[in-house]
Amino acid sequence: MGEPIENHGIVGDLRTAALVGFDGTVDFLCWPHFDSPSVFVSLLDDEKGGRFELAPVLEGVRHRQLYLPDTNVLLTRFLSHDGVAEISDYMAVGGTQRLVRRAKAVRQSIGFRLRCAPRFDYARAVPTLREEGGSLVFEGPDGAALRLRATVPLLAEGADGTAAFQLQAGESAAFVLEDAALGNARPAYPREVAECFKATADYWRGWTARSTYRGRWRDMVNRSALVLKLMTSGEHGSIIAAPTFGLPETIGGVRNWDYRYTWIRDAAFTVYAFLRLGHVAEANAFMRWLGIRSASSGHDGHLDLMYGFDGHRQLDEQELPHLSGYLDSRPVRIGNGAAGQLQLDIYGELMDAAYLSDKYGEQISHDAWKGITRSMDWVAENWEQPDEGIWEVRGGRQHFLHSRLMCWVALDRALRLARKRSLPAPLLRWAEARDAIHADIHENFWNADQGAFMQSRGGTSLDASCLLMPLVRFISPTDPRWISTLRAVGERLVVDSLVRRYEDEAVDGLDGIEGSFNMCTFWYVECLARAGDLKRARFLFEKMLGYANHLGLYAEELGPAGEHLGNFPQAFTHLALISAAYYLDRALSAAEI
């Protein structure tokens, strides 16, 4: 078995991302794009998946991982009485796409071993390997080919590239994995590796320095922002939900999804997080990308709920039966069948992002507004439909509170933006639909006997997505109905500082028991803070920070033993952390606590 999910760091280049384990192995990488077929995926199959191993030959090793401050340059240290070694991992940002790995002997003379074993096309194709000009070329199907260059001699062993070398204290060796089409048939040069290292570190430090956040928990907030930036396409401005696929929400279960796509919902919330931190350029880039999608939404204004990072819609879900899955959690899936679902809430997230981006970033264009107008007309006509909702249930459509709530947000923000900018819009029709939704939520989703807003119309189960009600300003955070609902959430969905996403686990039509959802905990913290319970909000927030991995990263869920589950790292968790930290910090400062 390889490393657990939480024993990983992430590096990336705004085109794709790699996971690096405590043991120095790159065991997840899709190339050349986020949603391209994998070349290393031993995290999902230790035998067949493909891996890139680099580690010292030491006994009794203790491991440490850290990022160079304010960067996405990852250091993995190996500590032993026989010596100290360090692996640096990073991907060059801009220019030539390359993964760079550098081994260094920090103390004592140390031997190292390397094995580069790519398996193309989701481990369905073993490459042919040839030597060329001191480098190794791995050739896969359909013209796919990677080149490995190094500052030490490389050997070909079957389909794998290997190296064994000795470094004296202070010496280093470097390895560069890149597209073979670049034609660099030569060894790597120490100078080019050093220059790439410096340029990459400088890029990330410069980006982090543009943040306007100066509050408490700055390190965690900046790390979350750096994670979100890693999931942003530098070319298109789109934002993916996570860089991985197939990591289970339940060990041994079937909830194993592909998150390497751009959900309108997740990306729109990420825009909000970027804007709060002063990263306006990222918000503007995403809104331009979204404007293209909105402008091509068709005559009825209906939008897809997710897209490929470049806007493509070919997201057909399929299983990979040849992969054993993380801890035998099958099936491993690529593509996402939820792409064909109806999720009405996406229009609310879209409009909230558009409203805030217009306020703090670039003003909305004429063509984008025309697309939004079509979409809002569609919402005004269709908000009463049942749908699959935010949790993408596969047990049948229902009238979900969260979907209804976000339809209200969609029309409310569209009205605000139209009035603020004097943009043409059917204001009366939108206002009537918005107010009808407001009445519907209070009349049909409020359960007086339980003293809470329910997950579905006329239902009796709670759903943590109700925590967004005060955050999107639908209801006052001190309204008696809301305080009663918040109390019910605390009693029925919260265990210590951890929040489950809903009571009725049969609602999603899938087998298995879930863990707690990390983003729901951060929503709960922010709701407590907005309701005035700042001390408890801070206590729970700081407890939740302790569930991050050693680098400050979060997967989607936490399991029964606090293990990380689901795709990793997850954008939704990190943006919810930023939102909670931002509001709580301001509230604590205002209250002088």
Side-chain angles (χ1 to χ4, degrees), residues 383-384 399 401 404 436-448 452-460 481:
W383 64 266
E384 291 185 273
H399 293 275
L401 168 64
R404 203 59 47 96
I437 297 171
H438 190 277
D440 179 61
I441 289 175
H442 281 281
E443 292 169 7
N444 297 316
F445 291 83
W446 169 255
N447 187 314
F453 289 98
M454 296 290 101
Q455 179 184 51
S456 58
R457 188 173 66 186
T460 58
R481 285 192 174 192

Side-chain angles (χ1 to χ4, degrees), residues 114-158:
L114 170 141
R115 179 172 294 274
C116 183
R119 298 295 182 262
F120 290 93
D121 192 27
Y122 299 108
R124 290 181 289 206
V126 177
T128 58
L129 178 58
R130 60 183 172 84
E131 190 275 337
E132 185 179 65
S135 67
L136 296 179
V137 177
F138 303 87
E139 296 179 319
D142 301 324
L146 291 174
R147 184 188 303 276
L148 179 64
R149 299 188 292 121
T151 59
V152 296
L154 296 168
L155 296 175
E157 293 187 11

Side-chain angles (χ1 to χ4, degrees), residues 351-528:
M351 270 314 306
D352 207 25
Y355 177 78
L356 292 168
S357 293
D358 184 89
K359 182 177 181 179
Y360 297 108
E362 293 178 351
Q363 291 190 339
I364 196 165
S365 69
H366 174 72
D367 289 339
W369 178 250
K370 285 173 64 179
I372 283 175
T373 301
R374 290 195 300 271
S375 294
M376 293 306 103
D377 285 341
W378 189 89
V379 171
E381 293 293 328
N382 291 277
W383 64 266
E384 291 185 273
Q385 289 192 54
D387 71 343
E388 280 88 4
I390 183 176
W391 306 128
E392 303 184 342
V393 301
R394 300 194 178 198
R397 293 181 178 180
Q398 296 189 38
H399 293 275
F400 286 112
L401 168 64
H402 179 262
S403 298
R404 203 59 47 96
L405 169 70
M406 297 311 291
C407 284
W408 178 90
V409 171
L411 294 165
D412 178 73
R413 302 308 193 265
L415 285 163
R416 291 192 196 190
L417 184 54
R419 289 168 177 154
K420 173 187 171 185
R421 292 276 314 280
S422 299
L423 295 168
L427 300 181
L428 180 60
R429 190 192 327 148
W430 290 358
E432 288 176 346
R434 178 198 62 183
D435 295 347
I437 297 171
H438 190 277
D440 179 61
I441 289 175
H442 281 281
E443 292 169 7
N444 297 316
F445 291 83
W446 169 255
N447 187 314
D449 293 336
Q450 300 199 41
F453 289 98
M454 296 290 101
Q455 179 184 51
S456 58
R457 188 173 66 186
T460 58
S461 296
L462 278 174
D463 187 319
S465 63
C466 73
L467 293 167
L468 288 170
M469 294 177 75
L471 306 189
V472 298
R473 302 183 184 276
F474 174 84
I475 194 169
S476 165
T478 57
D479 186 291
R481 285 192 174 192
W482 174 249
I483 294 298
S484 179
T485 301
L486 186 59
R487 186 181 306 115
V489 169
E491 293 171 353
R492 294 158 60 176
L493 292 179
V494 180
V495 177
D496 191 52
S497 61
L498 306 177
V499 182
R500 293 184 296 124
R501 58 177 176 172
Y502 40 63
E503 283 184 299
D504 181 11
E505 293 192 340
V507 70
D508 61 15
L510 296 167
D511 294 330
I513 299 174
E514 295 185 326
S516 59
F517 259 62
N518 295 322
M519 65 181 175
C520 296
T521 296
F522 290 120
W523 289 348
Y524 183 60
V525 164
E526 188 168 349
C527 284
L528 288 173

Side-chain angles (χ1 to χ4, degrees), residues 34-35 122 239-242 244 258-263 266 306-309 312 314-316 334-336:
F34 293 114
D35 60 2
Y122 299 108
I239 304 165
I240 62 168
T244 56
D258 188 346
Y259 277 15
R260 299 171 299 157
Y261 307 116
T262 298
W263 271 254
D266 302 46
M306 72 176 84
Y307 298 85
F309 74 99
H312 73 262
Q314 292 75 42
L315 311 179
D316 295 340
I334 55 173
N336 202 303

Side-chain angles (χ1 to χ4, degrees), residues 57-385:
V57 182
L58 291 170
E59 298 292 334
V61 171
R62 292 175 293 119
H63 300 91
R64 296 287 185 273
Q65 267 189 333
L66 65 152
Y67 283 107
L68 288 182
D70 296 333
T71 78
N72 281 315
V73 175
L74 182 68
L75 305 183
T76 304
R77 287 188 180 142
F78 302 79
L79 312 172
S80 166
H81 290 294
D82 297 326
V84 175
E86 187 173 86
I87 307 295
S88 305
D89 285 291
Y90 56 95
M91 295 188 75
V93 180
T96 302
Q97 186 172 23
R98 56 182 60 170
L99 169 66
V100 182
R101 314 201 70 195
R102 185 165 63 176
K104 182 177 182 180
V106 177
R107 185 178 64 82
Q108 304 283 33
S109 174
I110 299 174
F112 289 80
R113 290 178 181 165
L114 170 141
R115 179 172 294 274
C116 183
R119 298 295 182 262
F120 290 93
D121 192 27
Y122 299 108
R124 290 181 289 206
V126 177
T128 58
L129 178 58
R130 60 183 172 84
E131 190 275 337
E132 185 179 65
S135 67
L136 296 179
V137 177
F138 303 87
E139 296 179 319
D142 301 324
L146 291 174
R147 184 188 303 276
L148 179 64
R149 299 188 292 121
T151 59
V152 296
L154 296 168
L155 296 175
E157 293 187 11
D160 303 342
T162 66
F165 54 96
Q166 192 81 17
L167 296 177
Q168 302 301 312
E171 291 183 339
S172 62
F175 304 86
V176 178
L177 188 68
E178 60 192 14
D179 193 326
L182 295 171
N184 293 328
R186 56 176 175 77
Y189 301 137
R191 180 175 178 179
E192 70 169 314
V193 172
E195 290 175 350
C196 184
F197 180 93
K198 182 179 184 303
T200 302
D202 287 348
Y203 171 85
W204 290 116
R205 289 195 182 104
W207 186 83
T208 303
R210 290 196 287 274
S211 172
T212 57
Y213 182 81
R214 299 292 183 269
R216 303 166 180 84
W217 314 295
R218 187 177 175 187
D219 287 346
M220 285 296 290
V221 168
N222 283 346
R223 178 51 52 198
S224 289
L226 283 161
V227 170
L228 295 180
K229 179 63 173 175
L230 277 179
M231 290 185 241
T232 302
S233 168
E235 179 181 1
H236 300 283
S238 54
I239 304 165
I240 62 168
T244 56
F245 64 88
L247 294 177
E249 297 177 12
T250 303
I251 297 299
V254 300
R255 305 166 187 258
N256 314 316
W257 315 114
D258 188 346
Y259 277 15
R260 299 171 299 157
Y261 307 116
T262 298
W263 271 254
I264 297 296
R265 173 193 308 113
D266 302 46
F269 275 129
T270 304
V271 166
Y272 191 25
F274 277 142
L275 287 171
R276 280 187 152 174
L277 302 180
H279 291 300
V280 177
E282 285 69 25
N284 289 339
F286 174 74
M287 293 310 299
R288 287 193 291 270
W289 180 88
L290 185 59
I292 297 171
R293 312 282 86 73
S294 185
S296 60
S297 61
H299 69 278
D300 64 353
H302 177 67
L303 284 170
D304 292 349
L305 63 98
M306 72 176 84
Y307 298 85
F309 74 99
D310 59 357
H312 73 262
R313 300 179 179 183
Q314 292 75 42
L315 311 179
D316 295 340
E317 186 171 296
Q318 58 180 292
E319 298 179 1
L320 300 178
H322 63 287
L323 294 178
S324 62
Y326 178 83
L327 294 179
D328 294 320
S329 302
R330 304 183 189 185
V332 174
R333 296 184 179 91
I334 55 173
N336 202 303
Q341 290 185 350
L342 177 64
Q343 296 177 20
L344 292 169
D345 66 290
I346 67 168
Y347 299 95
E349 287 97 11
L350 180 157
M351 270 314 306
D352 207 25
Y355 177 78
L356 292 168
S357 293
D358 184 89
K359 182 177 181 179
Y360 297 108
E362 293 178 351
Q363 291 190 339
I364 196 165
S365 69
H366 174 72
D367 289 339
W369 178 250
K370 285 173 64 179
I372 283 175
T373 301
R374 290 195 300 271
S375 294
M376 293 306 103
D377 285 341
W378 189 89
V379 171
E381 293 293 328
N382 291 277
W383 64 266
E384 291 185 273
Q385 289 192 54

